[in-house]
Amino acid sequence: MATRKKKLKYSTEQYLKWYESMLLMRKIEEKAGQLYTMQKFGGFCHLYIGQEAVVAGTASAANKDDKHMTAYRDHAHPIALGVHPKYMMAELYGKSTGMSKGKGGSMHMFHKEVNLMGGHGIVGAQIGMGAGIAFAEKYNGTTNVCYTSMGDGATRQGMLHETFNLAMLWKLPVVFIIENNNYAMGTSVERTSNVHDLTKLAASYEMPAEAVNGMRVEDVHEAIERAAERARKGDGPTLLDIRTYRYKGHSMSDPQKYRSKEEVNEFKEQDPILWVLNTIKQNKLATDEELDAITKRVKDMVEESVKFAEESPLPEGKELYEDVYVEPDYPYVMDNKFRP
Amino acid sequence: MCTVKTSFSTIKKVYCAEMKNRIFRDFFEVMSLLKGGGGRAQWRPLLDELDTLSEAGNTPEFVHLLLFQCLKKIDSSPAINIVIFMMQHWVLCFSAFQTKYLTENAKSHVRPRHETTPSGNKTEKRFIDAVHDALDQAMTKHNNLVLMGQDIADYGGVFKATEGFTDKYGKDRVRNTPLCESAILGAGLGLTINGYKAMVEMQFADFVSEGITQICNNLAKIHWRWGQNADVVVRMPTGAGVAAGPYHSQSTEAWFAHTPGLKVAYPAFPADAKGLLLRAFEDPNPVLFFEHKALYRSVSEEVAEGYYSLPFGKANVLTTGSELTIVTYGLGVHWALEEAKNHPEGVVEVIDLRTLVPLDEETIYASVNKTGKVLVLHEDVARGGFGGELVALINEHCFEQLDAPVKRLGSLNTAVPFAPELEQGFLAKSKLSETVNSLLDY
């Protein structure tokens, strides 16, 4: 055991942080799934369960001022960046304290203080925005990077190709992350194109690309570091095909007829959280009491989040008329006679 | 394959010298000399003439001798350069017929003065020059403004709205982009999230269909979703009347006026174009800015120098009348003014909306309540056009003051035809007199 401990590349603190963060994502989403089934809230609910190592590894490798852009499977991203999950939960409930004041819902998680720029519900449409954010960093002469995430389904959108071309042409400091869970809703990567290896998508643009084991947070962390380093040096974007898996359906209404239980179980055996936990245990990075304390903290945060969401007020009626434009008094939004 | 052997400015310089400093618009008149100048007995589209020229291998047979000679002076292969010259100035798709129409119209545009622009030094500017001037002022005022579009850098944009900008502001701020409307609109939004302002030029407003997702989903809704504003101006060279066919002539303002979160401006005059475009850059919301291609070089007026901006949501009453209100915008304004001249003074009141979102409802209602009859006119096809919205509002607010049914006139519910004769039949203008007369007689 001692020999394995020596080989560990990351600190005890890092492992414990990964563990706690990923456990929190897992537990809050399990809770969200339950609450959704109990009809505590409606709308959409796309769970990230199984994919936690992707955001955990990205967040740990990122600098504080780096920017993050993602698609609609976005519940875990704010948590990875250290935001209390209660704001995410409140958004699921459509409450005024939610990240989008109850005006967006599940696919609209943002948090500018931690540079999480969404949360975007149109598949692939966020890719160009990510490049734009990186473009601004380049103008500003910073060494910040924009991590732009998408699912494997989004890679078949034209936006990806337009943006890849632009990002390489202008050498933008962006890291394109495919959270490749192998299914665009219920259609596997193999059924969406005859190119199954998504790293090849970068080849036309001579963009560096690599495949990453998305079930191992260390692998993700390292790949992100390499890509970010390239971007910071001014060498432009990288495509990371981070191969992961979601245990749950695409959404809450997915019967999952497109895959077998065996396949799901095969991936569950490689569970990213269990892997970190085993590493911690085998290397005695924490005592049982310390691990229990983590479990307790996570449980408390989940409960606090649900309580916060349930007790938060609904958005006021006037919210209907606010935020359509920047000006608070836009007289042209509604007919005068309906004005409250 | 065309290659630019001589820069546009050189051609223009030599040409202008030859023409004794006549302004470029006179080029159309030069071409009109073809008819009586020993060229053809019948009008032919310019494109045909140019094709003939290319095929014939530098023969000046069908091109005005003077123009041909001055081109020949600076380059041995004028056939190639004249094509580029035409393309740069969007003359290539003009038919001779259209050219004549536009030139005549340009002279008839006399704008009743409603002082909305600052006094002080003014210079005569064409619409395109006013847009150019506004962009120039905006680039100076907002040093975080980035322009993006296809061939807007050294080429200066297909309509020359950004000519000379790379020299003045550098290629970093005046960005040529690949052909990817969606990506640059998305990148524009990304820039503004991160503290910049962006202007994205659609080469033609029709091409905006490639970017609808970005505009209607991302730009329009981002402030609603998380309070992040989208400080993007999308410039839209729009409209028909230049024989550009179905994919380069459409009016697409209704697509965006319908989408909450966007603002839509559509000036009809150079001074308004400058003031409203500068206002668009001051506005923190996404603005769709429509510029009619046929007005670029056919209307000109005195435009104040320096920086000024005009408010959004303020219509302009261009003629006062007591019998009939015509509510319109864009090229429709010029049609309406022309039509108003067919009636005694004080009959027709023409309102130029200038911006569709926000909409100056008060001015419309005040006028309709006065005249009791109203025609809503636009170039866009009638069905589902912005006119329907105006008609609904007028009915809701002025019903009791109306002396006739609210009338709407848009273009035919078809694609925009290419053939100039067909296009004239397509455009709402062809039925304007008839409609106005029937309303006045009602």
Side-chain angles (χ1 to χ4, degrees):
Chain A
M1 285 315 232
T3 48
R4 177 150 182 197
K5 189 171 182 177
K6 255 188 180 170
K7 280 185 192 163
L8 285 179
K9 205 175 161 185
Y10 298 98
S11 68
T12 300
E13 193 196 358
Q14 180 67 77
Y15 273 103
L16 292 175
K17 208 175 161 190
W18 276 332
Y19 176 62
E20 182 161 348
S21 172
M22 291 200 286
L23 191 66
L24 181 55
M25 296 173 204
R26 177 74 54 96
K27 294 297 171 193
I28 196 102
E29 283 213 301
E30 283 176 354
K31 191 71 191 176
Q34 278 174 19
L35 294 166
Y36 188 93
T37 316
M38 291 160 67
Q39 299 184 333
K40 288 282 188 179
F41 56 86
F44 299 92
C45 190
H46 305 98
L47 301 178
Y48 201 71
I49 294 174
Q51 303 184 195
E52 293 90 345
V54 183
V55 282
T58 305
S60 61
N63 287 353
K64 194 178 136 286
D65 293 330
D66 287 348
K67 308 292 188 285
H68 303 264
M69 165 68 60
T70 191
Y72 60 87
R73 199 176 297 282
D74 58 356
H75 303 165
H77 294 69
I79 300 172
L81 294 169
V83 181
H84 197 293
K86 64 184 181 182
Y87 305 111
M88 181 276 282
M89 189 59 91
E91 187 58 41
L92 293 180
Y93 270 76
K95 293 296 182 70
S96 61
T97 51
M99 288 184 152
S100 180
K101 295 200 279 184
K103 294 160 89 166
S106 162
M107 306 193 217
H108 307 267
M109 303 303 174
F110 300 85
H111 205 85
K112 206 163 181 182
E113 287 78 54
V114 297
N115 294 321
L116 174 61
M117 309 306 192
H120 299 278
I122 308 285
V123 175
Q126 80 282 9
I127 305 173
M129 291 165 67
I133 289 170
F135 197 6
E137 296 295 344
K138 192 180 167 88
Y139 270 111
N140 289 338
T142 71
T143 54
N144 302 330
V145 171
C146 181
Y147 305 99
T148 302
S149 303
M150 68 203 84
D152 47 280
T155 63
R156 309 311 188 189
Q157 284 278 7
M159 186 52 141
L160 174 122
H161 294 273
E162 294 186 19
T163 308
F164 275 17
N165 185 50
L166 211 61
M168 278 304 289
L169 182 69
W170 295 343
K171 292 289 182 286
L172 301 180
V174 56
V175 178
F176 296 109
I177 297 168
I178 306 174
E179 298 176 337
N180 181 358
N181 63 25
N182 203 40
Y183 291 98
M185 289 181 66
T187 307
S188 66
V189 167
E190 290 74 22
R191 289 169 67 199
T192 58
S193 169
N194 74 323
V195 180
H196 304 162
D197 177 357
L198 300 182
T199 61
K200 287 184 181 170
L201 294 175
S204 309
Y205 309 98
E206 298 181 350
M207 187 191 297
E210 61 177 298
V212 183
N213 181 354
M215 306 306 268
R216 296 288 170 265
V217 69
E218 301 96 321
D219 289 15
V220 175
H221 180 100
E222 283 160 27
I224 294 283
E225 272 190 338
R226 280 192 295 275
E229 178 62 19
R230 201 174 289 133
R232 291 187 216 288
K233 280 195 308 194
D235 293 343
T238 303
L239 174 63
L240 298 178
D241 174 11
I242 303 187
R243 292 168 187 176
T244 180
Y245 202 80
R246 68 170 148 74
Y247 302 165
K248 303 287 180 182
H250 158 75
S251 66
M252 299 304 290
S253 55
D254 175 6
Q256 303 182 60
K257 287 179 181 165
Y258 49 86
R259 62 183 186 184
S260 67
K261 282 208 168 65
E262 290 73 25
E263 182 185 302
V264 178
N265 287 332
E266 193 188 310
F267 278 96
K268 282 186 176 173
E269 283 167 17
Q270 308 169 41
D271 187 73
I273 304 178
L274 278 180
W275 168 265
V276 171
L277 181 61
N278 287 340
T279 308
I280 291 168
K281 283 182 172 174
Q282 282 169 14
N283 294 281
K284 300 196 180 0
L285 302 181
T287 63
D288 287 348
E289 290 73 33
E290 281 166 336
L291 290 174
D292 286 348
I294 289 177
T295 314
K296 170 90 176 33
R297 272 205 300 276
V298 166
K299 191 164 172 280
D300 289 348
M301 274 181 111
V302 172
E303 279 172 11
E304 188 193 340
S305 299
V306 176
K307 190 164 180 284
F308 176 79
E310 296 205 331
E311 290 176 357
S312 286
L314 285 166
E316 286 181 53
K318 71 181 174 63
E319 275 296 332
L320 269 180
Y321 304 104
E322 291 180 356
D323 299 321
V324 182
Y325 295 90
V326 172
E327 302 89 324
D329 62 337
Y330 39 90
Y332 35 89
V333 166
M334 58 194 151
D335 193 301
N336 285 343
K337 64 190 169 190
F338 298 125
R339 194 183 300 219
Chain B
M1 181 81 181
C2 293
T3 50
V4 184
K5 294 194 175 178
T6 308
S7 74
F8 160 71
S9 55
T10 318
I11 296 176
K12 190 175 171 185
K13 211 162 98 188
V14 175
Y15 177 62
C16 287
E18 292 284 342
M19 295 298 287
K20 293 179 184 153
N21 296 323
R22 294 169 73 180
I23 60 169
F24 174 68
R25 198 172 62 219
D26 290 352
F27 175 71
F28 298 139
E29 288 162 16
V30 174
M31 296 312 285
S32 76
L33 293 175
L34 286 171
K35 191 181 175 191
R40 297 188 177 282
Q42 296 295 320
W43 291 89
R44 287 184 69 202
L46 267 181
L47 187 57
D48 288 358
E49 296 291 355
L50 292 166
D51 276 348
T52 313
L53 178 68
S54 301
E55 284 165 18
N58 303 350
T59 162
E61 192 176 353
F62 301 119
V63 176
H64 189 258
L65 197 61
L66 183 54
L67 174 64
F68 187 81
Q69 283 168 347
C70 77
L71 285 168
K72 205 168 179 179
K73 270 189 191 170
I74 51 178
D75 201 292
S76 57
S77 54
I80 288 172
N81 278 309
I82 196 169
V83 169
I84 293 164
F85 182 75
M86 300 289 169
M87 284 167 72
Q88 283 174 331
H89 275 80
W90 187 234
V91 189
L92 197 58
C93 291
F94 272 75
S95 67
F97 177 84
Q98 282 302 326
T99 302
K100 182 166 175 285
Y101 166 78
L102 287 172
T103 312
E104 282 175 358
N105 269 9
K107 288 173 187 157
S108 69
H109 291 315
V110 182
R111 186 187 184 192
R113 298 311 305 175
H114 271 248
E115 203 55 55
T116 50
T117 61
S119 49
N121 285 345
K122 293 189 175 188
T123 45
E124 178 91 0
K125 277 187 163 51
R126 297 173 303 171
F127 198 105
I128 187 67
D129 305 326
V131 169
H132 184 278
D133 186 13
L135 290 170
D136 197 0
Q137 298 283 344
M139 286 292 275
T140 303
K141 183 178 165 78
H142 309 286
N143 57 14
N144 62 340
L145 173 62
V146 176
L147 310 181
M148 288 189 283
Q150 287 132 28
D151 262 318
I152 67 161
D154 291 339
Y155 197 102
V158 70
F159 297 108
K160 298 289 161 198
T162 52
E163 193 172 35
F165 279 25
T166 47
D167 291 341
K168 195 164 175 186
Y169 301 106
K171 286 184 178 178
D172 277 353
R173 291 182 65 201
V174 186
R175 284 267 173 177
N176 263 355
T177 70
L179 294 148
C180 52
E181 287 76 8
S182 183
I184 57 177
L185 285 161
L189 179 51
L191 279 171
T192 77
I193 289 173
N194 223 349
Y196 282 79
K197 295 169 90 71
M199 185 286 288
V200 180
E201 177 181 294
M202 293 293 111
Q203 198 165 63
F204 288 83
D206 312 60
F207 304 166
V208 79
S209 56
E210 298 282 357
I212 289 283
T213 291
Q214 292 305 319
I215 296 174
C216 294
N217 283 319
N218 285 348
L219 292 173
K221 295 174 179 56
I222 198 158
H223 193 264
W224 171 267
R225 298 193 304 145
W226 58 298
Q228 166 65 54
N229 68 306
D231 201 351
V232 179
V233 174
V234 186
R235 283 188 42 249
M236 308 276 280
T238 191
V242 292
Y247 288 163
H248 299 76
S249 305
Q250 291 169 81
S251 296
T252 58
E253 66 274 12
W255 301 357
F256 305 102
H258 177 68
T259 304
L262 303 174
K263 292 188 181 180
V264 179
Y266 198 155
F269 296 98
D272 286 350
K274 179 175 172 183
L276 291 171
L277 186 49
L278 283 167
R279 174 68 182 81
F281 286 112
E282 292 168 2
D283 198 301
N285 301 285
V287 179
L288 277 289
F289 194 86
F290 287 82
E291 302 160 12
H292 203 294
K293 300 191 291 286
L295 297 178
Y296 271 155
R297 293 180 163 77
S298 67
V299 288
S300 56
E301 65 177 349
E302 296 275 307
V303 176
E305 289 173 6
Y307 190 96
Y308 70 90
S309 69
L310 294 173
F312 277 9
K314 295 284 176 206
N316 204 359
V317 182
L318 295 174
T319 63
T320 49
S322 56
E323 303 296 311
L324 170 70
T325 302
I326 301 181
V327 183
T328 185
Y329 55 91
L331 189 57
V333 172
H334 299 282
W335 295 342
L337 288 176
E338 205 176 312
E339 176 60 28
K341 286 187 209 141
N342 298 334
H343 303 275
E345 206 168 308
V347 169
V348 179
E349 183 147 311
V350 177
I351 298 179
D352 174 7
L353 293 175
R354 300 201 286 189
T355 60
L356 308 187
V357 184
L359 179 67
D360 185 354
E361 293 179 37
E362 281 171 25
T363 299
I364 299 172
Y365 304 153
S367 175
V368 175
N369 287 339
K370 181 179 74 176
T371 61
K373 291 180 182 179
V374 59
L375 169 65
V376 171
L377 168 71
H378 58 54
E379 176 188 330
D380 193 7
V381 300
R383 189 174 60 226
F386 191 69
E389 173 68 18
L390 295 171
V391 171
L393 286 170
I394 292 165
N395 274 320
E396 283 166 10
H397 292 265
C398 309
F399 183 76
E400 286 166 11
Q401 306 298 325
L402 290 171
D403 296 325
V406 181
K407 188 80 187 161
R408 167 185 57 161
L409 182 59
S411 296
L412 296 182
N413 296 316
T414 68
V416 185
F418 164 62
E421 295 75 9
L422 281 181
E423 192 180 32
Q424 291 310 307
F426 157 84
L427 289 171
K429 180 177 188 285
S430 62
K431 296 180 183 60
L432 181 56
S433 291
E434 177 190 332
T435 312
V436 165
N437 290 335
S438 75
L439 261 179
L440 287 172
D441 293 344
Y442 187 87

